[in-house]
Amino acid sequence: MNSRSLSTTIAALTMLVATVLGGCDIEGAHPLRIGTNIWPGYEPLYLARSLGYFRDTGVHLVEMPSASQVIQGIRSRTLEGGALTLDEALGLVADGIDLDVILIMDFSFGGDVLLAKPGIASIDALAGKTIAAETGAVGAILLNAALGTAGLMVDDVRIMPCPVDRHADCYADADAVVTFDPAASTLLKLGAQRLFDSREIPGQIVDVLVVRRDAVKAQPSAIRHLVHGYFQARAYLTAQPMEAATRMAPRLGIDADELLESFDGLQLPTLDENRQLLGGEPSRIEQTAADLVELLTRNGLLGRQVSTLGLASADFLPSGSVH
């Protein structure tokens, strides 16, 4: 083959590839990468993976030690989305990251707790004591509310910053810790005292599934598979709770019974409830987010005021029931 023929062939192949890639929705050049840290409310995603619901769908779950790494992954575009608390999602929006909230995963209803060493029986006894907590908004929201019940402020205690993957270790060096499962179950077994939990502040700690808006445009089919698989797993959890818990518990380092007990501290919205929360203009979750923006801004936990209009999308929820 002479050089002219070779050049012509290469050019033709290049045009063919460009035509194929441009003429069909291939859902991007890589999977839909969704990051999570350890939290019982996120486990139905991993149950879906275990049951094969994400096979050949372009969905790839990425397990990370902390929410801060999930946030960084979304910022750096090594993740298309992730499971975060609503306040963490708002922090990304405040930083100029365009996101859609596509699923309400859970409301914490006792799942986030303030635990103290044996002998510390009340919140007012924490005055002057050391409390280990994450520096993010969830820790601050729970701790501020807890201290407020005893007329205390954050300045009345010593705060030990503690990342999520070290809660049990930090507890050893502190008088109390703001934590959640699986660390909470471990510490309660060791005699920790439950002083306050998120049942006292219903609706304020919300876990959501977010996706970057560029991924919403580029990978809609994979996102639909992600959400559909989640609700398939939820149906499996309802129908066969012990079998589901047996599949999920090892990842959390607790046994199946403990995992099912941990779900008692969560409210997991159903598909119909998600439709109600995500639908409308403004949606109910956007109204919740607007209230949260005010709280976070007032406490110096959000860099700037942000609009929550258009934050939620019900477009990826299954249209019918899921079994």
Side-chain angles (χ1 to χ4, degrees):
M1 182 181 292
N2 61 36
S3 59
R4 180 182 294 273
S5 297
L6 179 59
S7 298
T8 301
T9 301
I10 292 173
L13 288 172
T14 300
M15 290 182 65
L16 176 61
V17 170
T19 299
V20 170
L21 294 182
C24 64
D25 180 8
I26 62 167
E27 296 286 293
H30 48 69
L32 180 75
R33 299 163 297 185
I34 300 297
T36 79
N37 63 298
I38 296 292
W39 168 247
Y42 304 156
E43 281 308 301
L45 288 173
Y46 291 94
L47 176 60
R49 184 178 71 178
S50 170
L51 293 168
Y53 297 157
F54 295 147
R55 191 173 298 123
D56 301 323
T57 63
V59 173
H60 178 58
L61 301 182
V62 182
E63 303 168 59
M64 294 185 157
S66 68
S68 62
Q69 289 176 297
V70 176
I71 290 167
Q72 182 54 37
I74 294 173
R75 279 200 182 104
S76 65
R77 297 177 180 272
T78 57
L79 296 174
E80 281 65 57
L84 297 169
T85 54
L86 183 56
D87 57 273
E88 290 165 343
L90 290 171
L92 282 168
V93 173
D95 288 343
I97 308 298
D98 290 330
L99 297 174
D100 279 346
V101 173
I102 61 168
L103 180 66
I104 311 303
M105 305 191 77
D106 64 74
F107 291 93
S108 181
F109 193 70
D112 292 272
V113 297
L114 172 62
L115 301 180
K117 290 280 182 64
I120 301 177
S122 64
I123 292 173
D124 56 6
L126 290 173
K129 297 289 197 300
T130 299
I131 303 175
E134 291 181 84
T135 55
V138 168
I141 290 169
L142 191 89
L143 185 56
N144 279 325
L147 294 175
T149 63
L152 298 176
M153 301 180 66
V154 173
D155 290 343
D156 295 320
V157 299
R158 292 189 295 270
I159 302 298
M160 174 194 295
C162 182
V164 62
D165 55 331
R166 295 197 63 248
H167 282 186
D169 295 331
C170 291
Y171 173 79
D173 299 320
D175 300 293
V177 61
V178 176
T179 188
F180 48 82
D181 274 332
S185 291
T186 299
L187 296 175
L188 286 167
K189 286 180 180 179
L190 296 175
Q193 305 293 307
R194 184 190 295 259
L195 299 185
F196 188 88
D197 64 42
S198 50
R199 285 174 293 190
E200 305 295 327
I201 49 172
Q204 289 196 30
I205 300 178
V206 189
D207 285 285
V208 296
L209 189 59
V210 301
V211 179
R212 294 182 64 107
R213 286 198 180 141
D214 52 5
V216 167
K217 295 177 181 178
Q219 297 170 279
S221 178
I223 296 172
R224 288 190 182 90
H225 284 301
L226 171 69
V227 178
H228 191 271
Y230 169 84
F231 281 110
Q232 281 184 291
R234 286 281 306 278
Y236 186 91
L237 174 60
T238 299
Q240 302 187 60
M242 184 53 67
E243 173 62 26
T246 300
R247 285 176 176 268
M248 292 185 287
R251 222 180 66 84
L252 295 175
I254 56 180
D255 63 36
D257 288 328
E258 288 174 322
L259 177 56
L260 292 177
E261 287 175 10
S262 74
F263 282 123
D264 292 338
L266 301 177
Q267 293 177 335
L268 304 178
T270 64
L271 176 53
D272 283 341
E273 288 168 341
N274 260 276
R275 291 180 183 128
Q276 295 167 17
L277 289 163
L278 294 172
E281 295 182 6
S283 67
R284 285 168 55 187
I285 199 62
E286 287 168 352
Q287 295 173 28
T288 297
D291 292 340
L292 190 53
V293 166
E294 294 298 326
L295 174 66
L296 296 173
T297 304
R298 190 165 60 247
N299 287 277
L301 297 171
L302 197 65
R304 64 179 178 87
Q305 283 274 354
V306 297
S307 172
T308 62
L309 292 177
L311 179 65
S313 173
D315 293 347
F316 297 100
L317 296 177
S319 58
S321 60
V322 177
H323 304 285

